[in-house]
Amino acid sequence: MKLYDSALAPNPRKVRIFLAEKGIEVPLVPVDIGKAENRKPEFLARNPMGGVPVLELDDGTYIAETVAICRYFEEVQPDPPLMGVDARDRAIVEMWNRRMEFEVAMPVMQSFRNTHEFFKGRIPQVPEYGAVCKEAAQKRLGWLDQELSGREFIAGDRYTIADITALMAIDFGRVTGIRILPEQKHLGRWHEQVSARPSARA
Ligand SMILES: N[C@@H](CCC(=O)N[C@@H](CS)C(=O)NCC(=O)O)C(=O)O
């Protein structure tokens, strides 16, 4: 088994944090996205969408999409549970993880993709849209701050994949100047707490 990875990119980091929480070690294969290795035919044969991460199983199966890779490891090693423990809890964790993906990570990524030098000439950029996304992401952090006033973690009283998604998105947001504001005390407390876990260094 191996994981096609990029040390700088947020989605591969999400899988590395997930694996670190589970105590699972998977050999990493670095993919140089700066040199567009992920757009070459041999990589597209693994994942036609061209994104990292991609997990290659021993039987030659390729699994792309960050959450699908996490799902695979959750199924093969349920402990510690990061995607819920029963029907109700799994649905709640999924609800929060999707909110973190669509409401926080998506605007963060779109702000980067539409304004950053890295994507210049790689994709059509609309800087005005990037600016709108940056503002939206910043607003969502205010909302998340309020949400975290009443509980320890994003999806309740246990650390889950929703915390991993939010951490990866918020940390990546720094690249385009999206930040936790000093007055966002609950979000700041949460960020300190999840960043102190050894997995955050993955
Ligand atoms: N929906 C995919 C997104 C994968 C993705 O876009 N990965 C980024 C890195 S975070 C990438 O490969 N970017 C390089 C590119 O698009 O050329 C997932 O969840 O894994």
Side-chain angles (χ1 to χ4, degrees):
M1 190 190 293
K2 47 190 157 181
L3 184 69
Y4 295 88
D5 178 52
S6 162
L8 302 174
N11 280 306
R13 180 180 180 223
K14 183 168 154 183
V15 172
R16 292 197 308 273
I17 295 176
F18 193 93
L19 289 172
E21 288 286 339
K22 293 256 177 208
I24 299 173
E25 282 185 29
V26 176
L28 302 178
V29 181
V31 177
D32 191 337
I33 59 174
K35 289 190 181 146
E37 257 177 40
N38 56 311
R39 300 286 160 190
K40 292 190 175 149
E42 69 189 272
F43 191 84
L44 294 175
R46 296 180 190 115
N47 176 16
M49 308 312 288
V52 281
V54 177
L55 179 69
E56 181 178 345
L57 301 183
D58 291 339
D59 69 0
T61 304
Y62 293 111
I63 302 174
E65 296 300 325
T66 305
V67 180
I69 296 170
C70 293
R71 169 59 63 199
Y72 175 78
F73 287 112
E74 181 81 354
E75 298 294 326
V76 295
Q77 189 187 301
D79 280 319
L82 296 171
M83 298 177 91
V85 294
D86 56 27
R88 177 184 172 278
D89 191 44
R90 277 189 206 104
I92 288 171
V93 172
E94 181 147 345
M95 172 179 77
W96 280 105
N97 191 45
R98 289 179 76 86
R99 285 175 176 164
M100 292 307 102
E101 286 184 333
F102 293 116
E103 305 297 332
V104 182
M106 190 78 87
V108 165
M109 304 295 178
Q110 289 302 335
S111 146
F112 179 76
R113 291 176 77 88
N114 283 282
T115 61
H116 201 273
E117 199 64 27
F118 179 84
F119 274 109
K120 218 163 248 175
R122 288 173 196 255
I123 58 166
Q125 290 184 305
V126 183
E128 295 79 4
Y129 180 59
V132 168
C133 289
K134 179 176 174 179
E135 206 183 309
Q138 199 64 65
K139 251 193 201 152
R140 301 279 155 65
L141 297 195
W143 161 70
L144 203 48
D145 179 59
Q146 288 311 302
E147 285 291 335
L148 284 165
S149 66
R151 59 185 185 274
E152 192 173 356
F153 295 108
I154 306 275
D157 58 6
R158 194 183 330 104
Y159 179 93
T160 67
I161 189 172
D163 296 287
I164 302 177
T165 304
L167 179 67
M168 142 320 246
I170 291 171
D171 286 352
F172 190 65
R174 288 192 201 128
V175 181
T176 51
I178 297 160
R179 285 172 203 290
I180 299 174
L181 303 176
E183 62 269 28
Q184 292 169 346
K185 299 278 182 227
H186 308 293
L187 187 56
R189 179 271 304 158
W190 166 87
H191 186 262
E192 231 172 74
Q193 205 175 335
V194 293
S195 299
R197 298 170 80 93
S199 64
R201 294 193 292 275

